[in-house]
Amino acid sequence: MPTDDPATLRDALSTSQAQVEALQAELDETNRGVLALYAELDTQAQQLRQATELKSRFLAYMSHEFRTPISSIRSLTRLLLDRVDGPLTDEQEKQITFIRTTSEEFADMVNDLLDLAKVEAGRIDVSPAWFELVDLFAALRGMFKPVLVNPDVQLVFEEPQGVAQLFTDDAKLSQILRNYISNALKFTAQGEVRVSAVVTPGASGIPGEDEITFSVADTGIGIAPEFHDAIFQDFTQIGSPIQKRLRGTGLGLSLSKRLAELLGGRVGLRSEPGVGSVFSVTLPLRLPGVATEVPDA
């Protein structure tokens, strides 16, 4: 039966007030813990940003420092192979050629490291413009013609399908395709490396937002399914007898992935051991977020 006794009501009110104060104290303590946790997370995030910045600066600095001696070595080997200072024996030519090849591989590694450092630091510029796909393929064909030393492998460029011009950074697209083609030639002992470009509907399905997919297909050693996700990560190399004979940083595909993302696109891979691989990069026909006029017909 309820009571209106003032003393009883005061006791109940005091008890309720004490419970509220205890709850408030608990909430205050929880809030202080949350604030401390946020502060710690902010500190760790700042330390991570500083570490990333230091790593990028170190890579950029060392890459620049390596370029001078590498250029000197390449120039000296070129002079020696041109017989500027006199004839060479067969063994001397063999050893100098080895030095030149190694220095060129080293130069490629340094360039990849420098580009990766720029991407991570957000210091790489994108310079889009309209350009002809046939011109891009012609430049790539001329670039790789001197290195096609294996008569059992053909490098084939298909006529681009569905579009003649593209608005993006042609230098960065060329760099992605060069990485793909170079890897395909390295790991293909017989058959062909085929480069193609096909226009496809964009993921949004909106008219006028079509995409273009560049593919580099080879008949090489192929890649096992368990490595497909890791192949585009930094410093990843797949163990194989051919890989053991070829040096590299494992940065080419990682860099290609990041460059594709800068261009608003994505990379892809289909591969089967013993059959070959198809590396692809899909980009919008027009780089998003950049105002552009329709090119002249």
Side-chain angles (χ1 to χ4, degrees):
M1 183 174 182
T3 179
D4 294 329
D5 180 37
T8 302
L9 291 175
R10 282 196 300 271
D11 290 343
L13 181 61
S14 297
T15 301
S16 298
Q17 186 175 359
Q19 291 174 344
V20 169
E21 290 175 353
L23 180 60
Q24 183 63 48
E26 185 177 348
L27 287 174
D28 289 342
E29 184 177 354
T30 301
N31 286 337
R32 286 193 296 270
V34 170
L35 290 175
L37 178 61
Y38 276 132
E40 183 178 349
L41 289 175
D42 286 341
T43 300
Q44 292 180 351
Q46 179 63 24
Q47 292 173 345
L48 181 60
R49 285 192 294 269
Q50 290 176 348
T52 301
E53 175 66 17
L54 286 173
K55 183 189 75 171
S56 298
R57 287 168 57 188
F58 172 77
L59 290 175
Y61 175 78
M62 293 307 299
S63 299
H64 278 298
E65 290 300 306
F66 282 142
R67 278 184 166 181
T68 299
I70 293 173
S71 297
S72 299
I73 293 171
R74 295 174 70 182
S75 297
L76 287 172
T77 55
R78 191 180 304 113
L79 289 173
L80 290 171
L81 291 173
D82 287 342
R83 275 70 172 179
V84 173
D85 293 327
L88 299 172
T89 65
D90 291 342
E91 182 60 26
Q92 288 173 331
E93 181 174 2
K94 177 181 176 182
Q95 296 299 331
I96 294 171
T97 300
F98 173 76
I99 294 172
R100 183 184 66 177
T101 302
T102 303
S103 64
E104 289 173 348
E105 292 173 351
F106 195 14
D108 290 339
M109 296 180 197
V110 169
N111 289 334
D112 284 346
L113 283 170
L114 183 58
D115 287 338
L116 185 62
K118 288 180 179 178
V119 171
E120 289 187 343
R123 294 175 181 170
I124 192 164
D125 297 324
V126 177
S127 303
W130 287 104
F131 62 91
E132 301 279 348
L133 291 184
V134 291
D135 293 339
L136 172 66
F137 279 12
L140 289 169
R141 187 184 296 110
M143 219 175 282
F144 281 96
K145 187 175 181 180
V147 300
L148 293 175
V149 296
N150 184 353
D152 295 327
V153 178
Q154 286 187 317
L155 177 58
V156 180
F157 287 84
E158 294 184 357
E159 189 74 18
Q161 299 294 316
V163 67
Q165 293 184 315
L166 183 64
F167 184 82
T168 191
D169 191 320
D170 62 333
K172 291 176 178 55
L173 173 57
S174 176
Q175 188 171 0
I176 295 170
L177 295 178
R178 288 201 310 270
N179 281 333
Y180 283 176
I181 296 170
S182 178
N183 280 344
L185 291 174
K186 282 182 182 178
F187 297 105
T188 302
Q190 189 172 12
E192 68 174 22
V193 174
R194 183 172 292 268
V195 185
S196 61
V198 179
V199 174
T200 57
S204 65
I206 300 175
E209 293 188 2
D210 290 345
E211 299 176 327
I212 183 167
T213 297
F214 294 87
S215 299
V216 177
D218 65 59
T219 55
I221 60 175
I223 301 169
E226 60 266 27
F227 297 115
H228 286 191
D229 291 336
I231 196 69
F232 287 101
Q233 297 177 8
D234 294 349
F235 304 105
T236 297
Q237 293 181 320
I238 306 303
S240 71
I242 295 180
Q243 181 71 67
K244 292 177 181 178
R245 293 191 287 106
L246 299 171
R247 290 172 293 277
T249 59
L251 288 175
L253 292 177
S254 170
L255 180 59
S256 296
K257 180 176 183 292
R258 299 190 189 203
L259 291 176
E261 291 169 350
L262 279 177
L263 300 179
R266 59 191 181 277
V267 296
L269 167 64
R270 301 194 312 274
S271 186
E272 184 179 344
V275 176
S277 304
V278 180
F279 282 89
S280 63
V281 55
T282 300
L283 303 176
L285 291 181
R286 297 186 184 184
L287 185 68
V290 180
T292 174
E293 296 179 359
V294 178
D296 296 335

